[in-house]
Amino acid sequence: MKQKKMGKIWLYLLCLLIAFLFITIASQNSFLYPLNDWVDGNCFFTIGRGMLHGIVPYRDLFDQKGPLLYFIYMLGALFTEKNMLGVYFLEVISFSIFLYFAYRTCRLFLEEKMSGFLLPILSMMIVTLPAFTHGGSAEEFCLPFLMGSLYSLLKFWKGKEEIPSYRMLLLNGLSAGCVFFIKYTMLGFWFALMMCFFFLMIGKREYKRAILSCLVFLGGMLLTLLPWLFYFSMTGAWKDFFETYLIFNIKYYPNLEPWYLRILGVINKTSSFLIKNLGYGIPLIIGMVSLLFTKDLYDRRQAKGMILTCFLFLIFFVLIGGKGYRYYYLIFTPFAILGLICLGKWISENHKPFFRKKSTYTFFFFFFLLVEISCYGVPNSKKLWERKQEGRNQPVQWYFSSIMNKSKDRTLLNYGSLDAGFYLATETLPVDKYFQKVNIDDEVYPLNIESQKRVIEEEKVQYVITRERVDKKAKQIPYLSTISQHYRIIASKDQDYEEKKFRYVLWERK
């Protein structure tokens, strides 16, 4: 018993070590990077910082992600509000939990040493994807929930039970509820899981059990609602939450193309991602082929069909809205574990004597080799190596901050674009609900830009920051003449962001 407990402790430490090294290299929130210039992450952190000071999401600051994501960033801000180092620590913890469930999944099919051997491979595969983007995405924080639920599903079909236990369904309901309050478009996996289990029980004529199972699953989801029901009721922002997170996303975000074109779009986006990212695409395809056409993983058709259905519903829910930002695809990565399990089986069967004899040395050799490769392969590697040039290539966020800090009034409006980190760099909080411009066309949702225009006309802030593309695709900044009437340009700087060059302009009140 004591030896088994020590084995678990070493497993936790191993997952934590792997998560620490790979997240440190990959995430711009880590101490290796001067700052995280990702607009989404800065938006979440601005709202998280605001929550520490009594500002309520949706009512006081407008954005459309789930409240649990803002709460995670609020916890990061509790550590420090000056940078995102606290968010980085939470990323490490989240990824280590993901790796723990990945290990448990591998152990369903592989021996102990081989399961541990696959963890750094899976880590490198994920952090080097463009979908990992800058670090701290909603998808990244949902990975442990999906990996845990995928593990429970694979474990069920490896066991002898004919129907799922209430405990399993409750835990999956809790996971689904947490994901719902981070970003509900990723619920496809759990929708399919419960749907398949329901029909499985109906097929076995377990009608009462089928209904009770659905209620238990929904009960788990409802438990995650309770803290938000209390929070938004106490702050009087329940209506704002409902109208923004639910109604707004449904009303303004979906693509209005015919349904068949949207389905074709899902197929096109998925296949394009797999082709462009073969490091993930090949293991995924190998895993799915092995699942469906061999008996290496499962020999029961029900198991094969249910796992495939959950995967397809996950893709469908994420991409059917018509948009396909690079970070959307990160949530698909847990399913690559099926291909890695096939790799582990092949190594065990063909190189078992060598692997067992030198397993510890082999593990650490490949572990640090994969870490080294990741240093050059992560999406943010260019910024990682530019760290030495901070003095000569000062980020625009710091440059503008150094100018604004000379003034007693540092009130700011990030005009016409998403929050690029200027509120964080200046250590200020927004004074207007529409502190940024979300990715919705002005013709579709004019209230956002019109509110920002009123802030300028009424001169509510001392500084305004605008940005525009420095190329032929650059769009005219809306109401530029209005800004010129009330503010004057005091600084500007060109800076790259996601393979595009932007010109940032700092305006001061006349």
Side-chain angles (χ1 to χ4, degrees):
M1 182 66 72
K2 187 177 180 180
Q3 186 176 5
K4 187 176 181 181
K5 186 177 180 180
M6 287 301 298
K8 284 187 176 181
I9 292 174
W10 280 112
L11 173 60
Y12 298 147
L13 292 175
L14 176 64
C15 292
L16 194 61
L17 173 64
I18 296 173
F20 168 74
L21 289 174
F22 282 98
I23 294 297
T24 299
I25 293 168
S27 174
Q28 280 187 256
N29 295 324
S30 85
F31 53 84
L32 294 183
Y33 294 86
L35 54 79
N36 188 339
D37 63 347
W38 189 35
V39 291
D40 290 54
N42 278 289
C43 165
F44 308 151
F45 197 64
T46 297
I47 296 176
R49 288 195 301 127
M51 291 174 72
L52 291 179
H53 299 276
I55 295 175
V56 180
Y58 313 113
R59 186 192 71 186
D60 302 326
L61 293 179
F62 180 84
D63 192 57
Q64 321 94 274
K65 293 297 191 297
L68 180 54
L69 183 61
Y70 304 139
F71 178 76
I72 291 171
Y73 272 80
M74 187 199 77
L75 293 179
L78 272 173
F79 181 80
T80 176
E81 293 187 51
K82 295 183 178 181
N83 54 51
M84 296 194 197
L85 197 59
V87 179
Y88 153 72
F89 290 137
L90 294 174
E91 284 184 86
V92 172
I93 294 171
S94 173
F95 201 70
S96 65
I97 296 171
F98 163 78
L99 291 175
Y100 171 76
F101 283 116
Y103 174 86
R104 295 286 299 273
T105 302
C106 292
R107 286 288 289 124
L108 297 173
F109 304 89
L110 303 169
E111 63 182 20
E112 188 176 289
K113 291 181 179 179
M114 180 55 67
S115 299
F117 181 74
L118 294 177
L119 294 185
I121 299 177
L122 177 65
S123 300
M124 187 200 71
M125 181 190 303
I126 291 174
V127 302
T128 54
L129 283 174
F132 188 85
T133 191
H134 305 258
S137 66
E139 286 75 10
E140 183 183 342
F141 284 113
C142 286
L143 285 179
F145 297 110
L146 180 58
M147 193 73 247
S149 290
L150 180 59
Y151 161 70
S152 70
L153 175 61
L154 297 176
K155 183 182 179 182
F156 170 79
W157 286 111
K158 288 291 287 185
K160 297 179 180 179
E161 297 92 347
E162 292 295 324
I163 53 179
S165 67
Y166 290 134
R167 180 178 179 274
M168 173 193 172
L169 296 173
L170 179 64
L171 292 175
N172 273 277
L174 288 169
S175 294
C178 290
V179 171
F180 178 85
F181 287 109
I182 293 177
K183 188 177 178 182
Y184 64 74
T185 55
M186 292 185 282
L187 280 177
F189 173 91
W190 289 274
F191 178 86
L193 179 138
M194 197 59 244
M195 178 186 70
C196 290
F197 275 141
F198 176 79
F199 286 115
L200 176 68
M201 287 179 270
I202 291 295
K204 295 180 180 297
R205 297 184 178 180
E206 295 280 354
Y207 305 116
K208 181 180 178 181
R209 182 68 180 243
I211 295 173
L212 288 175
S213 294
C214 290
L215 293 176
V216 169
F217 179 85
L218 292 174
M221 291 190 69
L222 287 174
L223 286 175
T224 64
L225 169 65
L226 295 179
W228 304 115
L229 183 63
F230 175 78
Y231 174 73
F232 288 116
S233 297
M234 291 295 292
T235 55
W238 182 254
K239 181 181 178 183
D240 300 277
F241 160 71
F242 184 81
E243 290 182 348
T244 304
Y245 185 51
L246 298 176
I247 303 302
F248 182 91
N249 281 324
I250 294 171
K251 184 177 180 181
Y252 293 104
Y253 254 84
N255 192 319
L256 298 179
E257 292 179 339
W259 63 269
Y260 55 87
L261 289 180
R262 292 165 69 178
I263 292 176
L264 288 174
V266 170
I267 297 172
N268 179 59
K269 288 183 177 68
T270 305
S271 57
S272 176
F273 173 73
L274 295 178
I275 293 171
K276 291 179 180 178
N277 299 276
L278 293 177
Y280 167 74
I282 291 175
L284 176 68
I285 293 170
I286 290 174
M288 285 299 172
V289 169
S290 179
L291 171 70
L292 297 175
F293 301 106
T294 72
K295 295 183 179 181
D296 290 344
L297 298 176
Y298 294 100
D299 57 0
R300 297 171 65 180
R301 286 184 296 176
Q302 288 175 315
K304 296 171 182 284
M306 186 171 179
I307 296 167
L308 178 63
T309 300
C310 288
F311 179 59
L312 293 178
F313 267 74
L314 176 64
I315 294 174
F316 181 80
F317 271 53
V318 169
L319 298 177
I320 195 60
K323 296 183 182 294
Y325 296 114
R326 65 177 71 180
Y327 52 86
Y328 280 20
Y329 302 91
L330 188 66
I331 195 62
F332 305 150
T333 53
F335 280 88
I337 198 72
L338 299 176
L340 292 183
I341 289 170
C342 294
L343 172 65
K345 281 178 171 285
W346 180 83
I347 294 175
S348 298
E349 292 170 1
N350 293 277
H351 302 280
K352 196 170 186 177
F354 172 82
F355 183 79
R356 279 195 166 179
K357 186 178 180 181
K358 303 179 180 180
S359 59
T360 303
Y361 302 105
T362 304
F363 172 80
F364 281 103
F365 172 77
F366 279 105
F367 178 26
F368 289 107
L369 176 63
L370 294 173
V371 171
E372 181 68 19
I373 294 173
S374 297
C375 289
Y376 297 91
V378 297
N380 305 309
S381 58
K382 183 180 179 182
K383 293 185 177 69
L384 184 65
W385 300 121
E386 286 177 351
R387 177 73 191 263
K388 296 179 181 179
Q389 303 178 4
E390 284 177 16
R392 289 176 289 171
N393 189 25
Q394 187 183 47
V396 65
Q397 290 84 350
W398 290 357
Y399 173 48
F400 285 1
S401 175
S402 65
I403 297 172
M404 294 171 60
N405 286 339
K406 297 174 183 177
S407 172
K408 291 183 179 180
D409 184 356
R410 291 181 295 142
T411 51
L412 168 67
L413 176 66
N414 192 99
Y415 179 83
S417 62
L418 288 164
D419 181 1
F422 294 102
Y423 294 108
L424 173 57
T426 56
E427 297 182 32
T428 59
L429 289 171
V431 299
D432 188 69
K433 177 177 180 177
Y434 292 96
F435 66 102
Q436 62 175 1
K437 171 67 175 64
V438 297
N439 285 325
I440 301 289
D441 290 338
D442 296 338
E443 296 78 14
V444 177
Y445 187 70
L447 183 60
N448 192 165
I449 197 67
E450 288 176 357
S451 178
Q452 291 204 321
K453 181 189 175 187
R454 281 196 300 273
V455 172
I456 291 170
E457 290 174 335
E458 297 172 9
E459 298 183 0
K460 286 184 176 181
V461 295
Q462 179 70 12
Y463 296 98
V464 174
I465 293 176
T466 61
R467 80 169 190 176
E468 61 180 337
R469 288 276 297 273
V470 187
D471 57 23
K472 295 179 181 179
K473 295 182 179 180
K475 294 182 180 180
Q476 181 69 29
I477 297 173
Y479 305 119
L480 184 60
S481 60
T482 303
I483 302 176
S484 303
Q485 291 174 17
H486 300 271
Y487 292 82
R488 61 186 179 90
I489 296 175
I490 60 171
S492 67
K493 182 179 175 63
D494 292 354
Q495 183 166 292
D496 292 340
Y497 175 74
E498 292 188 347
E499 300 86 45
K500 305 179 186 70
K501 186 175 287 294
F502 288 90
R503 176 161 298 139
Y504 296 85
V505 178
L506 177 62
W507 303 72
E508 186 179 33
R509 186 166 51 201
K510 289 183 180 179

